[in-house]
Amino acid sequence: MQTERPKRTTIKDVAKEANVSVATISYVLNGKESISEETKERVRAAIQKLNYVPDLSARGLSAKSSKLIGVVIPQTEPGSHLMLTNPFYSEIVSSIEYSARINGYHLLISGTDADADYLKLAMERKLDGIVIIGMYPDEFYNELKKTRIPIVLVDSYCLDHYFHSVQINDRYGAYIATKHLLENGHREIALICGVQKEGGVIRKRYEGYADALKEFGVPVRKDHVFEGVVDFDSGLALAQRVVKSGVPFTAAFATADILAIGAMKAFRSLGWAIPDRISIVGFDDLSISRYMDPALTTVHQDIHRKGTSAMEMILRSIQYPEEGKQELTLPVTLVERESVRRM
Amino acid sequence: MQTERPKRTTIKDVAKEANVSVATISYVLNGKESISEETKERVRAAIQKLNYVPDLSARGLSAKSSKLIGVVIPQTEPGSHLMLTNPFYSEIVSSIEYSARINGYHLLISGTDADADYLKLAMERKLDGIVIIGMYPDEFYNELKKTRIPIVLVDSYCLDHYFHSVQINDRYGAYIATKHLLENGHREIALICGVQKEGGVIRKRYEGYADALKEFGVPVRKDHVFEGVVDFDSGLALAQRVVKSGVPFTAAFATADILAIGAMKAFRSLGWAIPDRISIVGFDDLSISRYMDPALTTVHQDIHRKGTSAMEMILRSIQYPEEGKQELTLPVTLVERESVRRM
């Protein structure tokens, strides 16, 4: 969008079309309050008609703009300190970067925790926007609002009107995963999940699991829930606990593919063939899920679109700062592969 | 290193210890040519003795420092545009980020190609250092030198003295992988590899493969080499060509784990069980290699150390700009898992 082209629409063209001064266009783009709604509307219509893209590299605007977008990734594993160990993060960061790049922005990635230090960083670096993945304490969100920087929360159930939001229907995703197992005749279904936090993604997925069980008249039992951190080794360990529990499980629903993949490895090493002895359904549809043998049946979410949508919301928020909260809930679907058998 | 601590060693302590002025220390740290070698040596000894870490956040130095490190990742797949599709990149970026973070730096990641635009970006962003992964055209390296920014090349066989370098012994790694197959009685060994470029990593790995074959008196044959891009789908496609070739292969060496993992999937879907019908060895030891079933026998390289070493070289180059080229070749070892059988 930033490349120079012949006959590029300029701010003058827009001013002419909207019958206002160039300064007025600039005011509208920069969200000045003093412009009337009627004028704003006229300017927006002209921008849309002419397909005008503000040249952010032009001197006047770039003084305010760092063209840097911050991405915050949760540090779930205090031991490893490596931010991209779950392929989910590398996949979404790739997509955010792609969308940023084609719009002339760069990503500042940082494995820092979402705390006061990050706010300092955001101000010092003059970030033009921030994409925050995951759930954080309320105080952090409250502090973030003070920055006045456009912020998109990905996979957070924070309801604050300040933040734009991209998410999926986690509860529904878990419901269709569990229902798929129930429809295939399974009744003893282990839940292998991350740590449940109030209002968090994992809690929603637990609720979806419970919804499906209730629909089929199967009691929801605490000793069917195996909770740990979300990584491969935790998947291994949780599956070992599933086997050792003595409960005659025939299926497991893992709330993340990386957990499912760890669990598959442990099940097999303990002699539980997949899907003959135990069926398993994951969640995320990471690229590696189809590399597995058997390939993992899982809940597909469009990680690429999640990333690009987050970036697009920031761009829109920069361009139309007077607009309100943007929200997007992406659909999820079940992808049947080879890890579930009919009882 | 940047955190405030009581009794932190200051530049004054170093000046006192080295018996020079504070300004002289600053000159040495900033690589001023006019300081004598003898004085430089004295200052360095004092810095080492007192374990002094320059406070880059202090006003005087920070004006020159952006505390930003650029990371260039090759865009191997024109179609996808996503920079982290090969887990090798997400693993090394995580490690560079970790090392940058604990030293008070941030990463600017960009999937841009290594071209004139990147040079512009490097100057505009005042990058303090750049880590460049992979091989690029000579002209790019020549342009890069003009920036005078400390640059570390990872996995490049560019010999220019300007650049610091972190690599592994690719030829030796491929040699031990192939030798392992030969020692297990295999003689018809397919090479599944990326596109060979003169002086590139893949060419070195091809040479290591050929070295081992020659040592065992096995002819090196062109129709045993299957070349494509380095990703999962290419691994699938190349393995299909291996099966259809009609050559009675009993083993394959893949020059990257992601190729091996794609190949495993294709072999099995065509009825070639692993390792019963075909043995396979990979290269890289990505985390996902041990998730596979059977787990992949592969050449281990220390990706984490590769990333942190690259960052450490940049820090050292910033601190001692008068020092010359730093080079590190990390060892590789064979990790025996489950994908090779004895004939």
Side-chain angles (χ1 to χ4, degrees):
Chain A
M1 285 167 89
Q2 304 301 317
T3 353
E4 286 299 321
R5 270 171 216 174
K7 290 195 189 172
R8 193 178 194 282
T9 305
T10 68
I11 196 166
K12 284 181 195 168
D13 301 326
V14 179
K16 201 172 160 194
E17 174 72 30
N19 199 21
V20 295
S21 70
V22 166
T24 302
I25 305 289
S26 182
Y27 289 154
V28 173
L29 289 178
N30 288 291
K32 283 269 163 42
E33 302 287 342
S34 53
I35 308 294
S36 76
E37 264 314 311
E38 190 263 319
T39 306
K40 280 184 192 168
E41 202 34 70
R42 215 162 66 227
V43 170
R44 260 174 270 168
I47 285 172
Q48 205 153 32
K49 183 178 169 193
L50 300 176
N51 202 18
Y52 169 66
V53 179
D55 181 5
L56 296 177
S57 66
R59 194 141 200 277
L61 287 168
S62 70
K64 291 177 70 175
S65 166
S66 67
K67 298 253 195 89
L68 270 182
I69 305 296
V71 178
V72 176
I73 297 166
Q75 294 299 294
T76 43
E77 301 149 80
S80 94
H81 300 299
L82 300 179
M83 55 179 183
L84 300 172
T85 43
N86 185 341
F88 175 81
Y89 297 120
S90 53
E91 291 189 22
I92 195 166
V93 166
S94 286
S95 297
I96 298 169
E97 192 281 331
Y98 172 67
S99 184
R101 188 193 335 149
I102 60 170
N103 287 290
Y105 286 77
H106 293 112
L107 290 200
L108 187 78
I109 56 168
S110 173
T112 42
D113 272 318
D115 58 13
D117 283 348
Y118 194 81
L119 296 175
K120 193 163 155 270
L121 179 152
M123 303 310 284
E124 282 178 0
R125 294 281 185 205
K126 296 185 177 56
L127 297 182
D128 285 340
I130 307 175
V131 179
I132 296 175
I133 304 168
M135 276 293 283
Y136 298 90
D138 284 346
E139 311 88 70
F140 179 62
Y141 293 121
N142 289 331
E143 287 298 314
L144 269 176
K145 290 159 68 173
K146 296 180 189 161
T147 63
R148 311 310 301 160
I149 296 171
I151 295 171
V152 178
L153 306 182
V154 175
D155 290 340
S156 166
Y157 283 87
C158 169
L159 296 172
D160 195 293
H161 298 299
Y162 178 82
F163 303 104
H164 308 297
S165 157
V166 182
Q167 56 186 230
I168 55 170
N169 194 329
D170 291 285
R171 186 167 178 159
Y172 176 73
Y175 164 77
I176 57 174
T178 311
K179 194 175 163 191
H180 179 66
L181 290 167
L182 290 158
E183 284 173 344
N184 278 283
H186 299 277
R187 290 298 176 269
E188 297 284 352
I189 303 170
L191 178 70
I192 296 177
C193 62
V195 177
Q196 295 185 37
K197 288 182 217 160
E198 195 54 56
V201 161
I202 311 287
R203 173 61 55 90
K204 297 283 175 190
R205 294 184 189 175
Y206 165 79
E207 288 165 356
Y209 160 81
D211 290 344
L213 291 180
K214 283 176 201 153
E215 191 177 304
F216 280 71
V218 177
V220 181
R221 295 174 50 166
K222 278 208 170 152
D223 63 353
H224 282 39
V225 177
F226 299 82
E227 210 175 289
V229 297
V230 181
D231 64 18
F232 176 80
D233 289 313
S234 172
L236 277 174
L238 293 173
Q240 283 162 356
R241 285 178 42 206
V242 168
V243 172
K244 284 175 191 156
S245 70
V247 180
F249 289 115
T250 62
F253 164 49
T255 60
D257 281 358
I258 194 76
L259 280 173
I261 289 164
M264 287 168 84
K265 188 94 190 167
F267 283 137
R268 271 181 313 227
S269 71
L270 294 168
W272 283 27
I274 299 160
D276 302 329
R277 172 62 189 81
I278 188 154
S279 294
I280 186 160
V281 179
F283 199 117
D284 285 337
D285 199 16
L286 300 180
S287 299
I288 56 169
S289 303
R290 66 188 178 101
Y291 305 171
M292 295 294 118
D293 188 43
L296 181 66
T297 291
T298 188
V299 178
H300 173 80
Q301 62 162 315
D302 194 338
I303 300 174
H304 181 64
R305 208 175 139 208
K306 221 172 190 178
T308 54
S309 300
M311 190 60 216
E312 281 156 18
M313 282 186 182
I314 285 176
L315 293 175
R316 188 160 182 96
S317 189
I318 291 169
Q319 204 166 356
Y320 304 106
E322 76 286 3
E323 280 188 2
K325 178 174 179 131
Q326 304 170 66
E327 277 181 282
L328 180 65
T329 300
L330 294 169
V332 289
T333 49
L334 190 79
V335 184
E336 288 187 52
R337 295 203 178 98
E338 305 157 356
S339 61
V340 174
R341 82 168 182 105
R342 177 163 285 282
M343 289 286 281
Chain B
M1 286 169 89
Q2 304 303 316
T3 354
E4 287 298 321
R5 268 170 219 176
K7 292 196 188 171
R8 193 178 194 282
T9 304
T10 68
I11 196 165
K12 284 182 196 167
D13 301 325
V14 179
K16 202 174 160 191
E17 174 70 29
N19 200 20
V20 295
S21 70
V22 166
T24 303
I25 306 288
S26 183
Y27 289 154
V28 173
L29 290 178
N30 288 291
K32 283 270 163 45
E33 302 286 343
S34 55
I35 308 293
S36 76
E37 264 315 309
E38 189 262 321
T39 306
K40 279 184 191 166
E41 202 34 69
R42 215 161 68 228
V43 169
R44 260 175 269 166
I47 285 172
Q48 206 155 30
K49 184 179 169 191
L50 300 177
N51 202 17
Y52 169 67
V53 179
D55 181 7
L56 296 176
S57 66
R59 196 141 198 277
L61 288 169
S62 70
K64 291 176 69 176
S65 167
S66 66
K67 297 253 194 92
L68 270 182
I69 305 296
V71 179
V72 176
I73 296 167
Q75 293 300 294
T76 43
E77 301 148 82
S80 93
H81 300 300
L82 301 179
M83 56 180 182
L84 299 173
T85 43
N86 184 341
F88 175 81
Y89 297 119
S90 52
E91 292 189 23
I92 195 165
V93 166
S94 287
S95 297
I96 298 169
E97 192 280 330
Y98 172 67
S99 183
R101 189 195 331 150
I102 60 170
N103 287 290
Y105 285 77
H106 292 112
L107 289 199
L108 187 78
I109 55 168
S110 174
T112 41
D113 273 317
D115 58 13
D117 284 348
Y118 194 80
L119 295 175
K120 193 164 155 270
L121 178 152
M123 302 310 284
E124 282 178 359
R125 294 281 185 206
K126 297 185 178 53
L127 297 182
D128 286 339
I130 306 175
V131 179
I132 297 175
I133 303 169
M135 276 293 283
Y136 297 90
D138 283 346
E139 312 87 70
F140 179 61
Y141 293 121
N142 289 332
E143 287 299 314
L144 270 175
K145 290 160 68 173
K146 297 181 189 160
T147 63
R148 311 309 302 160
I149 296 171
I151 295 171
V152 178
L153 306 182
V154 175
D155 291 341
S156 165
Y157 283 87
C158 169
L159 295 173
D160 194 294
H161 297 299
Y162 178 82
F163 303 104
H164 308 297
S165 157
V166 182
Q167 56 186 227
I168 55 170
N169 193 328
D170 291 285
R171 185 166 177 160
Y172 176 73
Y175 164 76
I176 57 174
T178 311
K179 194 176 162 191
H180 179 68
L181 290 167
L182 290 158
E183 284 172 346
N184 277 283
H186 299 277
R187 290 297 176 271
E188 297 284 353
I189 303 171
L191 178 69
I192 297 177
C193 62
V195 177
Q196 296 184 38
K197 287 181 217 162
E198 196 53 56
V201 162
I202 311 288
R203 173 60 56 89
K204 298 283 175 190
R205 295 186 188 174
Y206 166 78
E207 288 165 357
Y209 160 81
D211 290 343
L213 290 180
K214 283 176 203 153
E215 190 177 306
F216 279 73
V218 176
V220 182
R221 294 173 51 166
K222 278 208 171 150
D223 63 353
H224 282 38
V225 178
F226 298 83
E227 210 175 290
V229 297
V230 180
D231 64 17
F232 175 81
D233 289 313
S234 171
L236 277 174
L238 293 173
Q240 284 163 356
R241 283 178 42 207
V242 168
V243 172
K244 284 176 191 156
S245 69
V247 181
F249 290 114
T250 62
F253 164 49
T255 60
D257 281 358
I258 194 77
L259 280 172
I261 288 164
M264 286 168 85
K265 189 93 189 168
F267 283 137
R268 271 180 314 229
S269 72
L270 295 169
W272 284 26
I274 299 160
D276 302 329
R277 173 61 189 81
I278 188 154
S279 295
I280 187 160
V281 179
F283 199 117
D284 286 338
D285 198 17
L286 300 179
S287 299
I288 56 170
S289 303
R290 66 186 179 102
Y291 305 172
M292 294 296 117
D293 189 45
L296 181 65
T297 291
T298 188
V299 178
H300 172 79
Q301 62 162 313
D302 193 338
I303 300 174
H304 181 63
R305 207 173 140 210
K306 221 172 191 177
T308 55
S309 300
M311 190 61 215
E312 281 156 18
M313 282 186 183
I314 285 176
L315 294 174
R316 187 159 182 96
S317 189
I318 291 169
Q319 203 164 357
Y320 304 108
E322 76 287 3
E323 280 188 0
K325 178 176 178 129
Q326 304 169 68
E327 276 182 282
L328 179 65
T329 301
L330 293 169
V332 290
T333 49
L334 190 80
V335 184
E336 287 187 53
R337 295 202 178 98
E338 305 157 356
S339 61
V340 174
R341 82 168 181 104
R342 179 163 282 282
M343 289 287 280

